[in-house]
């Protein structure tokens, strides 16, 4: 399945590009979802999104419960 293949290759690519940023791959029927980072503010997330947009055109910011990074 193409979506399943993408859900496996994108996390690996993101982990290589951003080795200190957590990458999460999940499946919620019928969607495979890859999320990147645990940001405290939307502006922090937007900074990474601007970097990712050239490589991942359909990327967007989502609000989720995060694993709080150390201060």
């Amino acid at each position: 399945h193409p979506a399943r293949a993408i859900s496996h290759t994108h996390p690996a690519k993101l982990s290589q590009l951003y080795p200190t940023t957590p990458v999460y791959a999940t499946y919620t029927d019928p969607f495979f979802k890859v999320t990147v980072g645990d940001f405290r503010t939307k502006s922090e997330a937007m900074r990474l999104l601007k970097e990712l947009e050239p490589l991942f055109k359909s990327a967007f910011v989502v609000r989720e419960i995060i694993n709080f990074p150390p201060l």
Side-chain angles (χ1 to χ4, degrees):
H1 191 273
R4 181 173 300 165
I6 289 170
S7 75
H8 292 296
T9 58
H10 283 351
K13 186 174 184 177
L14 287 160
S15 291
Q16 282 183 325
L17 291 171
Y18 302 96
T20 60
T21 303
V23 177
Y24 307 99
T26 57
Y27 176 73
T28 305
D29 194 25
F31 301 106
F32 292 95
K33 181 170 69 170
V34 177
T35 53
V36 182
D38 291 313
F39 300 103
R40 293 176 182 271
T41 66
K42 186 174 181 179
S43 62
E44 290 175 350
M46 291 300 294
R47 271 185 251 139
L48 181 59
L49 177 63
K50 292 297 176 195
E51 291 181 33
L52 293 175
E53 281 178 329
L55 298 170
F56 303 97
K57 304 229 183 294
S58 61
F60 56 94
V61 173
V62 295
R63 179 184 291 255
E64 290 193 349
I65 295 173
I66 65 168
N67 298 311
F68 281 99
L71 290 174

